């Protein structure tokens, strides 16, 4: 499991600019913030568990129409931290400076706490928190998601099956699992792949696996979706991406799909630049 966690945590590395921040665990509800100024606050609590915190980055000159990009880290549902998404956060801050950013932690699964629906419920709690503080933060209730690996799975699943108010305008999956009924999973002989499935506990019924699979939950009303996968990924079979692409195509959902044939569970260099530029354009187009 240690090897699995390390693979999931060490996904993508981007070196970008950094900016000054102030660390606080208060939620800043007492006063409406000055919308002409940037605002950053760390470890805002949205629940009673120590993992139920998020970092907030608000741009200067924001309005009630300012939209929020939510970042969701990977880690096989059992590990990882919002710090793993700091590279994405820095890229969005510099390249898409008019968007608010929320980088979340969520409760991690263990032998006593299954990831579903716990982690989906945490995403809902974060979004409810943001809605309750829209006036304080001067933001809209419109959101987008960028998730990596397990975080990509959660981003897709929440956007497709749990966004009852249709707030999501785009969702990005970087090497995210999409279909737990895929024969590449069910018939695998790889103990690492099996660990991924086992993270969801003893319930391996078809109905449950479909319930937790974005592939089976997506509908024609799903938000625009952008997908990135590696053809040599040892954890996420290529069919997880291509089947999701085909499902979106069949439903006429706006989408983009990129497969890097020689990449694994993450990449650097020119392919990372390609991912970054495509993601930036997709966000600008659909949010």
């Amino acid at each position: 499991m240690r090897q699995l966690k390390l693979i999931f945590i060490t996904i993508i590395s981007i070196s970008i600019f950094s900016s000054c921040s102030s660390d606080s665990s208060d939620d800043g509800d007492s006063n409406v913030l000055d919308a002409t100024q940037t605002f950053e606050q760390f470890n805002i609590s949205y629940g009673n568990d120590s993992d139920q915190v998020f970092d907030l980055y608000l741009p200067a000159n924001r309005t009630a129409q300012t939209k929020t990009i939510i970042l969701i880290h990977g880690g096989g549902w059992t590990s990882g931290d919002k710090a793993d998404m700091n590279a994405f956060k820095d890229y969005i801050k510099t390249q898409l400076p008019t968007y608010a950013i929320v980088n979340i932690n969520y409760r991690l699964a263990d032998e006593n706490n299954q990831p579903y629906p716990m982690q989906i419920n945490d995403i809902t709690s974060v979004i409810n928190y943001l809605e309750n503080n829209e006036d304080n933060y001067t933001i809209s209730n419109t959101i987008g998601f960028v998730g990596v690996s397990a975080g990509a799975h959660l981003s897709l699943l929440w956007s497709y099956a749990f966004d009852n108010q249709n707030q999501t305008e785009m969702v990005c999956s970087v090497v995210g699992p999409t279909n737990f009924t895929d024969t590449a999973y069910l018939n695998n002989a790889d103990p690492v792949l099996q660990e991924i499935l086992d993270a969801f506990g003893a319930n391996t019924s078809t109905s449950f696996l479909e319930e937790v699979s974005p592939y089976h939950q997506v509908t024609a009303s799903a938000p625009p979706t952008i997908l990135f996968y590696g053809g040599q990924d040892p954890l996420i079979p290529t069919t997880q991406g291509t089947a999701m692409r085909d499902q979106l195509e069949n439903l006429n959902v706006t989408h983009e799909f990129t497969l890097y044939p020689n990449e694994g569970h993450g990449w650097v260099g020119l392919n990372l630049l390609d991912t970054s530029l495509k993601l930036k354009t997709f966000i600008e187009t659909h949010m």
Side-chain angles (χ1 to χ4, degrees):
M1 178 62 79
R2 180 181 298 273
Q3 179 185 11
L4 174 63
K5 291 179 180 179
L6 290 175
I7 293 173
F8 268 103
I9 293 172
T10 310
I11 301 294
I12 294 177
S13 172
I14 307 174
S15 177
I16 286 288
F17 307 100
S18 61
S19 60
C20 297
S21 306
S22 61
D23 192 346
S24 173
S25 59
D26 297 330
D27 60 15
D29 290 342
S30 57
N31 296 296
V32 175
L33 301 171
D34 182 354
T36 68
Q37 302 296 316
T38 60
F39 179 81
E40 300 184 2
Q41 192 169 14
F42 300 158
N43 296 319
I44 300 171
S45 177
Y46 64 89
N48 296 324
D49 192 279
S50 60
D51 284 332
Q52 291 177 303
V53 294
F54 67 85
D55 297 341
L56 175 69
Y57 305 86
L58 299 177
N61 301 314
R62 60 192 177 275
T63 70
Q65 285 71 51
T66 294
K67 301 175 180 182
T68 301
I69 299 172
I70 299 175
L71 307 179
I72 306 187
H73 70 79
W77 304 279
T78 61
S79 66
D81 185 84
K82 53 186 167 65
D84 302 331
M85 297 296 286
N86 280 345
F88 281 98
K89 176 263 294 181
D90 290 338
Y91 181 79
I92 293 168
K93 281 179 63 179
T94 57
Q95 299 300 313
L96 297 161
T98 63
Y99 293 86
I101 304 169
V102 167
N103 191 9
I104 78 168
N105 271 353
Y106 49 86
R107 289 172 292 174
L108 301 175
D110 56 33
E111 60 273 12
N112 299 315
N113 299 281
Q114 299 305 315
Y116 179 83
M118 177 177 68
Q119 293 166 353
I120 287 293
N121 291 340
D122 281 356
I123 296 173
T124 300
S125 294
V126 169
I127 291 167
N128 289 342
Y129 184 101
L130 295 174
E131 288 182 350
N132 291 335
N133 287 275
E134 283 176 13
D135 292 339
N136 294 340
Y137 294 152
T138 314
I139 56 175
S140 71
N141 66 355
T142 301
I143 57 175
F145 285 97
V146 177
V148 171
S149 198
H153 162 260
L154 295 171
S155 298
L156 292 172
L157 186 60
W158 195 92
S159 298
Y160 293 167
F162 294 90
D163 183 7
N164 298 323
Q165 299 183 57
N166 296 318
Q167 295 172 246
T168 308
E169 290 198 341
M170 62 75 57
V171 57
C172 170
S173 166
V174 181
V175 297
T178 63
N179 181 14
F180 293 104
T181 66
D182 188 344
T183 55
Y185 276 155
L186 297 181
N187 298 332
N188 85 86
D190 187 327
V192 177
L193 281 178
Q194 193 57 46
E195 278 191 285
I196 298 173
L197 294 176
D198 290 345
F200 280 94
N203 189 346
T204 57
S205 66
T206 299
S207 60
F208 177 79
L209 294 177
E210 289 180 351
E211 184 177 344
V212 298
S213 295
Y215 173 87
H216 292 286
Q217 295 301 316
V218 68
T219 67
S221 62
T225 301
I226 186 167
L227 308 166
F228 299 96
Y229 289 85
Q232 304 301 316
D233 193 328
L235 300 175
I236 309 299
T238 302
T239 50
Q240 294 288 296
T242 55
M244 191 73 249
R245 173 203 62 195
D246 294 345
Q247 188 80 313
L248 293 168
E249 182 72 26
N250 292 337
L251 292 168
N252 293 316
V253 174
T254 299
H255 67 282
E256 291 184 14
F257 173 80
T258 300
L259 176 69
Y260 302 106
N262 297 318
E263 300 289 4
H265 200 64
W267 41 86
V268 295
L270 291 177
N271 284 338
L272 177 57
L273 177 61
D274 181 71
T275 298
S276 303
L277 294 175
K278 286 177 178 176
L279 176 59
K280 178 178 183 287
T281 300
F282 198 82
I283 292 172
E284 290 174 326
T285 300
H286 299 289
M287 284 192 73

